[in-house]
Amino acid sequence: METVLRVAFFYFFILLGMRAIGKREFSQLSPFEMVTLLLIPELAQQALVRQDFSATNAVVALSTLFLLVFLTSLAAYRMPKVGAAIEGEPTVLVYNGRFVQRSLALERVSPDEIYSEMRKSGLERVEQLKWALLEADGKISVIPLAPEDKQIKPRSETVG
Amino acid sequence: MTGTTSTAAHRNRTIAESQAADPPKPPELPRPIRFYRYQWVGLAVILLVVGLALFGVFGDSVAETRVAGGGLELRVEYPSRFRYQQVSPIRVWLTNQADEPVDTAIVSFSRAYLLQFSNLTIVPSPERPFEVEVIDLAPGETRLVLAEIQANHYGKHAGWVAATAGKSDTVRAELSTTVYP
């Protein structure tokens, strides 16, 4: 019983921690972020299994984890608000060719990273973008302006 | 570039969060819950394991047995269930129920039972393998013999703890321990 409760506690604790550190940590990992993510299981492992290295304990712990993951995905699927709280929502980084500065600061995304994603899509200037979005999985999506959108001219032609 | 023009250029390249429109939302469709057949099976197994664990089925369990005869009473507390590599004590309380003192009583453990475990320690130290002498047991007095075992083999192990004093009958408590892998 204790193993079930321990796994449940640490599952929600780590889930909360992962949501708190932000989306960027799930995409390309910097050395610092990699160390952080590697340390989390190392620190949690001792508290989860204690000195009990039996297969029985591992089966109980894994079953608890699988059940929690399954229930979480079920709740996220059935209740969009729960899904948004657990998985997060996309953040608008660029709209109509202009950076959303507060979002860049909150998500710790630099214009360089957006330009890097733009170049991968064959775009060279921020004015060519309708949206740049930081997705819930930490990846940046870029959506170019459609021909009809280009009639809405951005106020600046300056290369960002 | 002067400070004023730099600030103006910066302002032209950025907008406030409130001015940015969100991308189109996906349509709201009904969200029925459907599972593949193998998912039902997997879910049932997982629920069973977690449910049984919550009810303590896979946890450690201690059993107690009490037998008396020939003026001696034997109370044994032992692990009825525990997990591989875990350490657990077997506590044996020997009581002299007779009116006369007992010079020497012998508490013995089933050899076949104890050999299923490792890192065996017995307190007080055994005089002979698996046999502990309890000396000068006054009427009504109780002494504790402690054996500590570590689970080394999976499965169910049966054995006994016995006590005898002089020519009196032997009292024997049966033990059964299941070791989970």
Side-chain angles (χ1 to χ4, degrees):
Chain A
M1 179 173 172
E2 204 180 332
T3 302
V4 174
L5 298 178
R6 277 171 180 268
V7 171
F9 172 77
F10 278 98
Y11 174 76
F12 287 113
F13 184 76
I14 292 170
L15 193 69
L16 205 67
M18 291 291 201
R19 285 291 285 120
I21 61 175
K23 292 173 214 153
R24 296 296 295 154
E25 277 62 26
F26 302 105
S27 186
Q28 300 97 349
L29 299 178
S30 69
F32 166 73
E33 293 157 351
M34 177 73 89
V35 168
T36 307
L37 288 185
L38 285 177
L39 275 178
I40 290 171
E42 282 298 317
L43 294 173
Q45 188 252 355
Q46 285 293 322
L48 283 172
V49 299
R50 292 154 290 156
Q51 293 301 310
D52 189 346
F53 301 111
S54 66
T56 306
N57 196 40
V59 167
V60 170
L62 285 174
S63 298
T64 308
L65 185 63
F66 290 150
L67 185 64
L68 289 169
V69 170
F70 179 79
L71 293 177
T72 308
S73 73
L74 205 63
Y77 167 69
R78 283 288 294 170
M79 294 170 272
K81 282 185 180 171
V82 174
I86 293 172
E87 291 161 8
E89 286 180 315
T91 306
V92 179
L93 303 172
V94 172
Y95 176 63
N96 269 344
R98 300 173 77 189
F99 292 108
V100 183
Q101 196 173 29
R102 184 176 149 79
S103 299
L104 296 178
L106 284 173
E107 301 291 353
R108 298 176 299 282
V109 178
S110 69
D112 300 350
E113 292 172 89
I114 296 173
Y115 267 66
S116 168
E117 291 303 323
M118 282 164 47
R119 287 192 292 273
K120 288 175 196 167
S121 303
L123 303 168
E124 56 187 69
R125 289 181 295 117
V126 73
E127 288 79 10
Q128 295 172 285
L129 289 185
K130 172 81 175 176
W131 275 292
L133 302 162
L134 181 63
E135 301 289 352
D137 63 4
K139 295 196 171 89
I140 295 172
S141 304
V142 290
I143 301 164
L145 280 166
E148 61 269 24
D149 293 326
K150 284 178 183 165
Q151 292 165 2
I152 311 163
K153 199 175 177 187
R155 273 192 288 174
S156 169
E157 294 291 340
T158 315
V159 174
Chain B
M1 189 183 279
T2 65
T4 313
T5 52
S6 171
T7 308
H10 171 76
R11 208 168 30 238
N12 283 340
R13 284 198 293 268
T14 61
I15 53 170
E17 201 177 14
S18 56
Q19 293 174 268
D22 285 332
K25 296 275 181 202
E28 268 305 318
L29 298 175
R31 301 185 179 203
I33 295 174
R34 300 269 186 277
F35 298 130
Y36 293 109
R37 194 171 296 167
Y38 67 84
Q39 282 183 314
W40 279 113
V41 176
L43 191 59
V45 171
I46 287 170
L47 276 172
L48 184 70
V49 170
V50 175
L52 291 175
L54 279 172
F55 281 102
V57 173
F58 300 122
D60 300 350
S61 170
V62 174
E64 189 184 302
T65 179
R66 193 187 290 249
V67 286
L72 294 175
E73 187 199 55
L74 201 57
R75 182 160 71 91
V76 185
E77 198 180 84
Y78 65 98
S80 58
R81 285 195 311 255
F82 69 138
R83 293 173 182 175
Y84 182 67
Q85 292 293 307
Q86 295 295 100
V87 175
S88 186
I90 299 172
R91 294 188 180 90
V92 181
W93 287 274
L94 181 67
T95 305
N96 179 7
Q97 290 184 320
D99 297 330
E100 301 292 319
V102 172
D103 292 338
T104 305
I106 294 171
V107 174
S108 53
F109 294 87
S110 157
R111 181 187 173 88
Y113 175 75
L114 288 187
L115 286 177
Q116 297 298 323
F117 304 96
S118 60
N119 293 331
L120 172 69
T121 48
I122 299 177
V123 179
S125 297
E127 298 299 315
R128 289 171 294 281
F130 313 113
E131 283 188 9
V132 175
E133 280 188 4
V134 179
I135 299 166
D136 295 333
L137 195 62
E141 188 183 355
T142 299
R143 297 269 183 86
L144 171 67
V145 175
L146 181 72
E148 204 166 67
I149 52 174
Q150 184 173 26
N152 209 25
H153 294 101
Y154 316 143
K156 194 166 186 172
H157 311 303
W160 46 261
V161 176
T164 184
K167 292 176 181 173
S168 68
D169 293 338
T170 299
V171 282
R172 200 162 107 157
E174 302 292 332
L175 318 179
S176 175
T177 300
T178 301
V179 174
Y180 289 129

